[in-house]
């Protein structure tokens, strides 16, 4: 902050010590929450069970820990969403269904050691440690639009690896037509899974040509640092031309298949969430229009772009009726 | 008695203003999270529904526990519910859609979840308009009949909540059980009255 001072002559002087430490700032809700829980406990004079939860650490911004990150040409020329907003407004039902729940509860997720099972139609199946999965690749920063099916959007600088590059290491067979992903299931680490809001584990899938498209990445970080737990640490999918729910978080299994996999939201409400789920302003959700979206931080809605502005993927769907295969 | 009635109603009005005050303070202190408009929409809708359920709870509580002092609160709660329903709708019209009347009309006509909410709001308008003492006197039995619309309004609001919910039905189910219970007490009172042994 200090070094920027001279650039703006009229800027009010802010002393470094007056700026709230980021960690502290991110923990303010936790403070309120624990205060509320403590007050509630005192009032009810109940057991210590609930208080234990108040100690959940929301992911403190880790040191980068990612090593070398290359800038990529894939970067939208739009302002990125505030880090605070991107890490406190999340849909990650494994930690609760309110937008603030993941930031509040994801501290219980242990992201190391972590391994990913690679299964199905591959020449070299196996269980791979997170580090071994990442090591052979160069990390790239990709600033993508993220469009949620709920008609809000963000712009996020991800750090990741093209999904295709990772998949190819495991020698997909000629029968590999689809990729299926699964999130961790662990009620202890993911308290939202104690209720069957969705059919756990969370599952997502892509057609092979979608998975191999250079825009599709497996992300390990955002904003130049490791992924916060609430954003899908340690490893998540990012498919920027599809609605956010396709970009599955905290992946523990990748299975290549000949047939189209079942996917969680499609199973839960097939009329509302399709397998393809390409961002499409022409095809409305049954309960709201998809023509416009609110960029987080903006007041007015803005028009939603076909394929979220990534029209280079349109050729993947050349002969498909996107109203039918929504 | 009139003084006590006023005190009770004033307290209810003050309590009813707290959520709006809280939202206003939170709005100006950056306390509404990343998507403030969504937060305001949810909060005002939820308060409207809670106030509507409280409205429906007054008569059963009065009859079951003999708390006559509750009676004036029925109107107060009803008007609080209507006020928050209006705030909820205004948030949607002015903040969320910024008066994009085409999009709003499309929502109201084509999306059942919005249609249900809009229906609930419309059903409450004649009730709010005829909530004055003069209207009650003037309309007599017709007032009683008209105000049965509150049951329809509550059911429409509940449908709005259910159809607007994504995956997690825990809270809507709690609200629906409360409404169901409140409606059942009406059936029960009705039967008591027919049997000629009503508590009224």
């Amino acid at each position: 902050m200090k070094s920027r001072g001279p650039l703006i002559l009229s800027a009010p002087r802010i002393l470094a010590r007056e700026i709230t430490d980021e960690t502290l700032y991110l923990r303010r809700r936790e403070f309120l929450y624990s205060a509320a829980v403590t007050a509630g406990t005192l009032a009810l004079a109940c057991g210590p069970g609930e208080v234990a939860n108040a100690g959940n650490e929301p992911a403190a911004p880790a040191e980068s820990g990612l090593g070398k990150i290359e800038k990529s040409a894939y970067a939208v020329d739009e302002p990125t969403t505030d880090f605070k907003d991107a890490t406190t407004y999340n849909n990650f039902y494994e930690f609760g269904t309110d937008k603030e729940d993941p930031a509040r509860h994801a501290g219980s997720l242990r992201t190391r050691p972590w391994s990913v099972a690679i299964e199905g139609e591959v020449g070299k199946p196996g269980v791979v440690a997170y580090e071994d999965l990442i090591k052979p690749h160069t990390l790239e920063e990709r600033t993508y639009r993220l469009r949620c099916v709920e008609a809000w959007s963000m712009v996020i600088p991800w750090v990741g690896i093209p999904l295709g590059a990772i998949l190819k290491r495991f020698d997909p067979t000629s029968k590999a037509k689809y990729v299926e992903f699964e999130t961790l299931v662990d009620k202890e680490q993911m308290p939202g899974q104690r209720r069957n809001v969705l059919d756990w584990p969370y599952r997502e899938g892509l057609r092979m040509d979608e998975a191999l498209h250079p825009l599709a990445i497996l992300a390990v970080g955002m904003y130049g640092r490791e992924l916060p737990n609430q954003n899908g640490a340690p490893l998540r999918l990012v498919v920027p031309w599809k609605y956010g729910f396709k970009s599955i978080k905290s992946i523990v299994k990748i299975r290549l298949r000949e047939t189209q996999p079942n996917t969680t939201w499609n199973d839960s409400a097939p009329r509302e969430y399709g397998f393809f789920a390409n961002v499409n302003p022409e095809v409305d959700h049954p309960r709201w229009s998809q023509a416009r979206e609110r960029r987080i931080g903006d007041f007015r809605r803005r028009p939603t772009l076909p394929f979220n502005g990534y029209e280079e993927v349109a050729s993947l769907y050349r002969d498909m009726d996107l109203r039918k295969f929504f | 008695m009139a003084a006590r009635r006023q005190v009770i109603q004033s307290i209810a009005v003050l309590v009813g203003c707290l959520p709006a005050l809280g939202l206003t303070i939170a709005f100006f202190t950056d306390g509404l999270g990343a998507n403030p408009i969504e937060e305001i929409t949810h909060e005002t809708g939820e308060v409207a529904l809670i106030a509507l359920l409280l409205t429906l709870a007054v008569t059963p509580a009065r009859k079951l526990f003999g708390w006559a002092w509750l009676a004036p609160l029925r109107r107060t709660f009803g008007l609080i519910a209507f006020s928050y329903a209006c705030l909820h709708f205004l948030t949607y019209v002015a903040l969320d859609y910024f008066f994009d009347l085409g999009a709003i009309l499309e929502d109201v006509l084509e999306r059942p979840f919005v249609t249900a909410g809009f229906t609930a709001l419309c059903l409450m308008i004649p009730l709010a308009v005829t909530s004055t003492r003069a209207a009650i006197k003037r309309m007599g039995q017709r007032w009683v009949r008209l105000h049965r619309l509150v049951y329809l309004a509550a059911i429409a609001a509940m449908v709005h909540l259910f159809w607007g919910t994504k995956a997690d039905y825990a809270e809507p189910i709690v609200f629906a059980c409360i409404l169901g219970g409140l409606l059942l007490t009406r059936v029960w009172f009705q039967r008591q009255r027919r049997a000629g042994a009503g508590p009224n």
Side-chain angles (χ1 to χ4, degrees), chain B residues 80-96:
Chain B
I80 291 171
F82 180 66
S83 307
Y84 278 92
C86 288
L87 284 177
H88 182 62
F89 183 66
L90 279 176
T91 306
Y92 161 74
V93 170
L95 299 183
D96 200 356

Side-chain angles (χ1 to χ4, degrees), chain A residues 89 97 150 195 287 301, chain B residues 35 38 96 163 165-166 168:
Chain A
Y89 188 78
T97 54
E150 296 167 344
R195 292 174 50 221
R287 287 187 268 153
R301 287 174 185 251
Chain B
N35 196 346
E38 182 188 69
D96 200 356
W163 285 349
T165 295
K166 184 179 162 188
D168 187 357

Side-chain angles (χ1 to χ4, degrees), chain A:
Chain A
M1 287 301 277
K2 262 188 198 164
S3 62
R4 288 190 192 162
L7 291 175
I8 309 162
L9 292 174
S10 62
R13 287 189 57 114
I14 302 169
L15 297 174
R17 65 180 146 80
E18 287 175 348
I19 299 168
T20 308
D21 174 67
E22 190 183 12
T23 317
L24 217 70
Y25 182 77
L26 288 170
R27 292 180 57 142
R28 73 203 186 285
R29 281 168 199 269
E30 186 198 351
F31 170 75
L32 290 173
Y33 177 69
S34 53
V37 170
T38 310
T41 311
L42 289 174
L44 295 168
C46 69
E50 282 302 306
V51 188
N53 271 337
N56 282 351
E57 297 272 299
E63 289 303 307
S64 161
L66 290 172
K68 191 166 165 285
I69 301 169
E70 267 182 20
K71 292 271 173 199
S72 147
Y74 293 105
V76 292
D77 190 19
E78 291 166 33
T80 54
T81 301
D82 271 358
F83 179 76
K84 179 192 74 164
D85 289 345
T87 52
T88 55
Y89 188 78
N90 307 103
N91 277 327
F92 197 172
Y93 282 17
E94 280 79 350
F95 297 106
T97 54
D98 282 345
K99 295 285 190 292
E100 303 82 14
D101 282 340
R104 213 181 271 154
H105 302 306
S108 49
L109 176 67
R110 293 187 299 274
T111 56
R112 298 290 191 285
W114 191 274
S115 56
V116 180
I118 317 271
E119 305 179 346
E121 297 297 337
V122 283
K124 299 183 213 158
V127 177
V128 187
Y130 166 83
E131 291 76 11
D132 298 332
L133 194 64
I134 303 310
K135 216 183 306 162
H137 303 274
T138 310
L139 295 179
E140 291 176 42
E141 181 165 86
R142 306 264 189 116
T143 304
Y144 284 159
R145 294 179 206 93
L146 168 76
R147 169 63 156 80
C148 178
V149 73
E150 296 167 344
W152 53 265
S153 62
M154 296 183 179
V155 174
I156 302 205
W158 301 106
V159 178
I161 299 156
L163 173 62
I166 290 189
L167 292 180
K168 281 175 193 157
R169 277 170 51 202
F170 299 92
D171 283 350
T173 71
S174 59
K175 285 183 181 168
K177 301 284 195 301
Y178 292 89
V179 194
E180 180 183 17
F181 302 88
E182 269 184 37
T183 298
L184 176 72
V185 188
D186 185 333
K187 289 186 173 69
E188 297 305 314
Q189 296 187 60
M190 297 181 143
Q193 290 177 338
R194 287 174 203 158
R195 292 174 50 221
N196 291 322
V197 176
L198 293 170
D199 184 15
W200 317 115
Y202 194 94
R203 286 187 207 89
E204 259 309 335
L206 296 171
R207 218 168 52 191
M208 202 59 187
D209 58 341
E210 299 177 316
L212 296 178
H213 193 280
L215 278 169
I217 59 169
L218 281 179
V220 296
M222 58 194 257
Y223 296 83
R225 60 179 86 186
E226 289 191 7
L227 282 175
N229 288 0
Q230 63 268 36
N231 294 83
L235 186 72
R236 66 170 292 170
L237 184 65
V238 177
V239 197
W241 70 91
K242 292 176 181 283
Y243 292 121
F245 69 88
K246 293 294 290 182
S247 292
I248 184 170
K249 304 183 179 92
S250 304
I251 297 168
V252 293
K253 194 174 282 182
I254 300 176
R255 185 186 297 121
L256 280 78
R257 314 169 38 118
E258 193 169 14
T259 53
Q260 182 176 308
N262 281 25
T263 55
T264 299
W265 277 107
N266 185 236
D267 284 350
S268 167
R271 279 182 59 242
E272 304 191 17
Y273 312 100
F275 173 79
F276 288 95
N278 294 316
V279 174
N280 189 344
E282 306 276 308
V283 178
D284 286 340
H285 185 276
R287 287 187 268 153
W288 56 83
S289 162
Q290 295 290 29
R292 302 175 75 78
E293 69 200 49
R294 174 167 295 106
R295 179 68 50 84
I296 294 301
D298 285 1
F299 173 57
R300 297 282 298 273
R301 287 174 185 251
R302 65 175 66 205
T304 287
L305 305 171
F307 299 109
N308 205 18
Y310 300 96
E311 302 229 30
E312 61 260 52
V313 301
S315 60
L316 297 176
Y317 311 101
R318 205 178 294 125
D319 302 318
M320 288 172 62
D321 177 359
L322 293 179
R323 289 196 170 274
K324 194 170 163 225
F325 299 100
F326 59 85

